[in-house]
Amino acid sequence: MADIITSQLSPSQTRVIDPILSNIALGYKNAQLIGETLFPRVPVLVSGGQVLQFGKEAFKQYATRRAWGSDTGRISFGYQGAKYALVEDSIEIPLPRELIRDAQQVPGIDVASIAINMGMDVISLQLERDQAALAVNAANYDGSHKITLSGTSQFSNAACDPDPIIDTAREAVRTSIGRYPNVMVLSAVAFKALRRNATLKAHFQYTTAASITEQMIAQYYSFDKVVAAPAVTSDDAGNFSDIWGNNAIIAYVPQQNVSMINPSYGYTYTMAGHPMVETPYWDPKAKSWVYGTTMERAPQLTGITAGYLLQNPN
């Protein structure tokens, strides 16, 4: 990158650099952020439209047998629900030319990647907040798909047996959509309470000396995936709080062939090709190269009866 430290990018340089940097953004991962477990990303081509929402009929199994000469059966995969509008998050990270110069003296330091990943950290944390706000809002669930735990029903209580609580949640989803939920998201405090629960520890005491993990919980409760949600956010005063609060969410989310026409608890509608990296430009006043990262997206609940909310487990 030595030849672009103090000069403007030529069109040929732009054509080479833009796809490389955007691929870095598309491949960005942060293990602290788990919102796409409930809201997997699906591409859209326009910034607004209507959500495909799914009722019970979308989850059913259908008879496909056909007699000669008879009509072929048809199914409906969803219906147009509430409108969605993608929101755009964008951030710029300036890299002083002195930093770029010094980094070139140290093998293995890619300062452009550092800037892009820093921008993706900021944008992705905002997306995580938006996804969690939908998932932990009790008003989004009907009365048979949520519970507020208290006393001996809280995972952190020594007398709590979480098995019937989780079984009730699993059955609520199964009887609503005809499929068992396959993922469970535990906020940091909920995960701490469940992995230290006396009943669960008693179950594993003769099989392993290791701490109870997400994978062990998933196998025990027959989920494809259990994830803890450790991400935190801060207010303007610098006070930190858990993004996922004191909650657990059990849901059905397709693990393969993810598409907006497949029934799911939720999706993150994302503009095709996003997140993307803007063409870097030289800011002579700051004597810095500026890298911008942009993402247009909108998380949506598309099949709320495919989910179950457990509040206050700790």
Side-chain angles (χ1 to χ4, degrees), residues 132-154:
L134 287 173
V136 305
N137 184 357
N140 289 330
Y141 299 80
D142 64 35
S144 61
H145 287 81
K146 61 185 175 184
I147 187 173
T148 299
L149 304 177
S150 63
T152 57
S153 68
Q154 291 177 293

Side-chain angles (χ1 to χ4, degrees), residues 153-171:
S153 68
Q154 291 177 293
F155 298 163
S156 54
N157 191 292
C160 172
D161 181 358
D163 292 6
I165 298 169
I166 293 176
D167 285 346
T168 297
R170 284 170 50 81
E171 286 301 310

Side-chain angles (χ1 to χ4, degrees), residues 5 9 65 67 78 115 169 187 203 227 246:
I5 291 179
L9 289 176
R65 193 65 49 83
S187 68
H203 170 78
V227 295
N246 185 6

Side-chain angles (χ1 to χ4, degrees), residues 61-80:
Q61 295 182 5
Y62 291 89
T64 58
R65 193 65 49 83
R66 174 183 173 271
W68 291 0
S70 64
D71 292 339
T72 302
R74 294 182 180 180
I75 62 173
S76 174
F77 57 76
Y79 64 91
Q80 298 293 333

Side-chain angles (χ1 to χ4, degrees), residues 144-210:
S144 61
H145 287 81
K146 61 185 175 184
I147 187 173
T148 299
L149 304 177
S150 63
T152 57
S153 68
Q154 291 177 293
F155 298 163
S156 54
N157 191 292
C160 172
D161 181 358
D163 292 6
I165 298 169
I166 293 176
D167 285 346
T168 297
R170 284 170 50 81
E171 286 301 310
V173 172
R174 184 188 68 82
T175 56
S176 294
I177 67 171
R179 303 182 190 183
Y180 277 113
N182 58 354
V183 300
M184 177 163 67
V185 167
L186 296 159
S187 68
V189 294
F191 178 57
K192 176 182 176 181
L194 187 57
R195 68 195 294 262
R196 294 183 178 179
N197 176 267
T199 300
L200 213 58
K201 289 175 69 175
H203 170 78
F204 287 109
Q205 65 178 328
Y206 299 115
T207 59
T208 178

Side-chain angles (χ1 to χ4, degrees), residues 93-109:
I93 306 294
L95 290 179
R97 67 180 177 187
E98 295 83 1
L99 175 63
I100 297 175
R101 179 196 63 208
D102 292 349
Q104 289 174 338
Q105 306 306 313
V106 182
I109 294 181

